Amino acid sequence: MDAIIELDDRLYITRVNPATGKVFRCQADQMTGQDFRRFVGEEDSLKLARLIDELDARPEGERSRWIPGGLTARCPEGLSFPAEATISRFELHRQKFTTLILRNVRDRVEAEQKIQSLTTETELLREELQALHRNDTLLGESPALRQVLRDIAQVAGTDATVLIMGETGTGKELVARAIHTASPRRERPLITVNWAAIPATLIESEFFGHEPGAFTGATRKREGRFALADNGTIFLDEIGELPLDLQAKLLRVLQEGEFDPVGSHHTRKVNVRVLAATNRDLEQSVRAGRFREDLFYRLNVFPLQLPPLRERGDDVVRLAAVFAQRFASKLGRSIAPLTTDCERRLTAYSWPGNVRELQNVIERAVITATAGRLNLDRALPEASPSNTAPVHAEAASPGAIRTAKELEQLERANILRALEAAKWKVSGGQGAASLLGMNPSTLSSRIKALKIQKPR
Ligand SMILES: Nc1ncnc2c1ncn2[C@@H]1O[C@H](COP(=O)(O)OP(=O)(O)OP(=O)(O)O)[C@@H](O)[C@H]1O
Ligand SMILES: [Mg+2]
């Protein structure tokens, strides 16, 4: 987030937004009332005074500009950093004010470098190689899963946009890959975009690429994911989390097949097939004003709803058996077929984390197996004390209807508990994502959306 600082005519700070505290590494509210010149380099004070004069000479409506060469910002604790900023003048009750919108250039350069290393061709190659090692078969014989397989077969051969919906861990990404692999575009790449991993300021360049010099830190031209997916398929994961301003730009690519790389006036045309996924109720996001209605209709050409695991009947047992053999052979062990008791317990559980959670449970059960028998005692969440609390809470008011807000609070508390248990590690074997049976990137985006922060 950028710092937004309002100054009076003497250059004293009248108001700041909370992000200002982060940018200047101090308590934001303690900055108000202070002389802003304490927070910039000496020559910057003169520069600001000159710019203010220049802006005041302009007609109203044009009193805003980039600060050429930026500023040297100084934190109260002594550190200084290069900042890029805009300055604007406005008048209120015959008093003149100045607003600065300012950000640390280093943060941007760092984020940019991170993205560059993420999206080089080598990285894409590595993603494809990993995909080759993954087991991509959609297992299951339940009527609900058969319907999904029929839908995939029906839509794969077309160029239609598919909106894959389903709870976390139901196999949305797997389905996206299955559609691409069964499509005429299979020889071309499947490019995935998941903005949970990308700083908000860089999503646009990640999508559409940029020209050298498009912004500070953009030292060379870079292709965006849409260009890389030309003639192939693009998979827009977690589409419900896309910021509103980018939704308009995405709509243009979907409708016209064209976009402008950041900092370029040359429109590019691409031919991409779009698959999108979400675990949110997009219609509700539309109603809440968080998702553009036109984009929703454009994506919702072929909606594909993945059933939660608890609605797939015996598939739980079938999948458990396959996963048990898979993990056992990976560990070089042999495992006896599932007992009826095992099957009963697996079927009785509600699987909020769906297939991913089942995989994790079976992996734990194989690791803790004794004498070749799966050990569900420690593997199934109901047996662990940390998970009994929400179950009791639910039991205390069975069938209670909760408001969306209450559900969000429950989700927040649950994620917090997992983060605390995992010592704030998100991914990895002991990470919170694994405890929750969630994809680490989904968890990251939920943490962001729910504004969960690690206490200092
Ligand atoms: N029907 C299935 N058969 C075999 N494996 C499956 C099936 N469905 C999902 N999986 C496996 O479960 C895990 C989770 O699947 P995937 O990542 O596709 O879920 P997702 O819906 O994208 O989850 P999220 O919303 O958390 O991103 C993956 O390891 C995937 O291979
Ligand atoms: Mg996913």
Side-chain angles (χ1 to χ4, degrees):
M1 266 293 277
D2 296 346
I4 304 176
I5 305 163
E6 186 192 87
L7 310 174
D8 66 13
D9 226 4
R10 302 168 304 153
L11 295 185
Y12 274 67
I13 301 174
T14 46
R15 254 191 310 190
V16 298
N17 69 340
T20 306
K22 282 217 187 79
V23 175
F24 282 87
R25 294 164 200 266
C26 65
Q27 293 276 344
D29 49 359
Q30 286 174 8
M31 290 176 73
T32 30
Q34 297 205 46
D35 186 345
F36 180 65
R37 281 166 287 207
R38 293 186 47 199
F39 298 95
V40 288
E42 261 163 34
E43 59 294 356
D44 289 334
S45 305
L46 293 172
K47 192 179 202 173
L48 286 174
R50 261 202 321 271
L51 287 168
I52 288 172
D53 286 344
E54 186 209 309
L55 291 180
D56 283 348
R58 292 189 188 186
E60 226 187 286
E62 290 175 26
R63 294 186 186 141
S64 176
R65 61 166 298 169
W66 268 99
I67 298 183
L71 300 170
T72 305
R74 287 202 302 220
C75 305
E77 62 183 24
L79 280 171
S80 50
F81 60 86
E84 52 186 16
T86 56
I87 180 168
S88 37
R89 289 282 279 168
F90 69 96
E91 215 177 288
L92 197 71
H93 306 308
R94 301 211 182 151
Q95 246 190 308
K96 285 189 168 163
F97 291 89
T98 304
T99 311
L100 294 168
I101 301 179
L102 179 151
R103 74 165 70 105
N104 185 337
V105 173
R106 279 194 203 122
D107 290 349
R108 186 157 197 169
V109 174
E110 252 168 46
E112 164 66 12
Q113 278 163 352
K114 203 167 122 201
I115 291 300
Q116 242 163 23
S117 68
L118 261 173
T119 39
T120 51
E121 252 92 310
T122 7
E123 179 67 20
L124 290 174
L125 200 64
R126 203 169 62 87
E127 280 175 20
E128 291 213 30
L129 275 175
Q130 277 176 347
L132 282 181
H133 287 286
R134 273 194 294 248
N135 220 317
D136 269 358
T137 328
L138 271 161
L139 302 169
E141 291 168 25
S142 60
L145 192 90
R146 281 176 193 271
Q147 182 57 48
V148 170
L149 296 176
R150 273 197 299 275
D151 285 347
I152 294 175
Q154 208 177 31
V155 80
T158 73
D159 262 347
T161 300
V162 185
L163 179 60
I164 307 162
M165 291 170 289
E167 291 176 12
T168 180
T170 44
K172 296 185 290 295
E173 191 172 339
L174 206 55
V175 165
R177 258 183 279 136
I179 295 175
H180 174 73
T181 314
S183 80
R185 294 173 182 255
R186 74 182 70 88
E187 303 297 335
R188 301 287 307 159
L190 167 70
I191 303 285
T192 300
V193 201
N194 185 333
W195 20 86
I198 309 170
T201 48
L202 293 176
I203 300 178
E204 187 176 356
S205 120
E206 179 69 16
F207 261 15
F208 306 127
H210 64 239
E211 290 295 309
F215 47 83
T216 318
T219 44
R220 55 194 177 94
K221 182 184 161 80
R222 216 190 90 227
E223 291 281 42
R225 296 227 161 192
F226 266 98
L228 292 167
D230 199 11
N231 294 315
T233 308
I234 197 157
F235 175 44
L236 308 173
D237 206 358
E238 315 285 353
I239 188 85
E241 314 291 332
L242 186 65
L244 265 172
D245 54 336
L246 281 159
Q247 291 178 18
K249 294 188 171 145
L250 176 59
L251 186 66
R252 177 170 169 225
V253 201
L254 300 188
Q255 273 170 347
E256 329 281 346
E258 58 180 44
F259 61 87
D260 297 333
V262 180
S264 158
H265 301 296
H266 296 286
T267 300
R268 279 199 63 167
K269 271 209 163 297
V270 280
N271 172 351
V272 287
R273 200 260 175 99
V274 176
L275 308 174
T278 182
N279 53 18
R280 301 193 151 234
D281 180 348
L282 278 192
E283 278 176 277
Q284 210 224 310
S285 301
V286 168
R287 281 195 297 275
R290 281 193 306 271
F291 204 81
R292 288 180 67 112
E293 190 172 19
D294 44 9
L295 179 59
F296 171 69
Y297 287 120
R298 187 63 194 76
L299 289 170
N300 201 30
V301 179
F302 192 99
L304 208 159
Q305 183 73 47
L306 296 190
L309 185 57
R310 60 188 165 279
E311 287 172 19
R312 297 189 203 174
D314 289 344
D315 277 358
V316 178
V317 171
R318 287 191 196 99
L319 270 93
V322 175
F323 292 155
Q325 294 311 326
R326 247 186 225 168
F327 287 124
S329 78
K330 222 163 87 182
L331 292 175
R333 295 187 185 170
S334 64
I335 277 284
L338 302 184
T339 62
T340 353
D341 178 56
C342 253
E343 293 185 4
R344 187 189 50 73
R345 287 168 67 183
L346 291 172
T347 323
Y349 181 58
S350 65
W351 301 107
N354 295 292
V355 184
R356 183 179 300 104
E357 186 183 15
L358 176 64
Q359 266 177 346
N360 292 344
V361 164
I362 298 298
E363 185 171 16
R364 278 201 290 271
V366 170
I367 292 170
T368 55
T370 37
R373 294 215 167 274
L374 275 192
N375 180 358
L376 285 180
D377 290 340
R378 279 173 55 197
L380 254 188
E382 270 142 334
S384 79
S386 70
N387 279 289
T388 49
V391 174
H392 285 316
E394 188 54 50
S397 50
I401 293 173
R402 297 183 191 283
T403 63
K405 190 86 213 147
E406 283 169 342
L407 275 181
E408 198 177 283
Q409 278 163 359
L410 280 178
E411 184 190 10
R412 197 166 195 283
N414 194 41
I415 291 179
L416 259 175
R417 265 202 298 278
L419 282 167
E420 275 157 16
K423 302 203 169 60
W424 291 84
K425 236 178 87 185
V426 173
S427 53
Q430 310 290 319
S434 157
L435 293 175
L436 292 160
M438 277 171 94
N439 187 332
S441 61
T442 311
L443 177 57
S444 302
S445 68
R446 292 309 292 146
I447 291 174
K448 227 186 210 170
L450 296 166
K451 301 198 172 62
I452 296 177
Q453 277 181 350
K454 186 176 176 177
R456 283 170 195 243

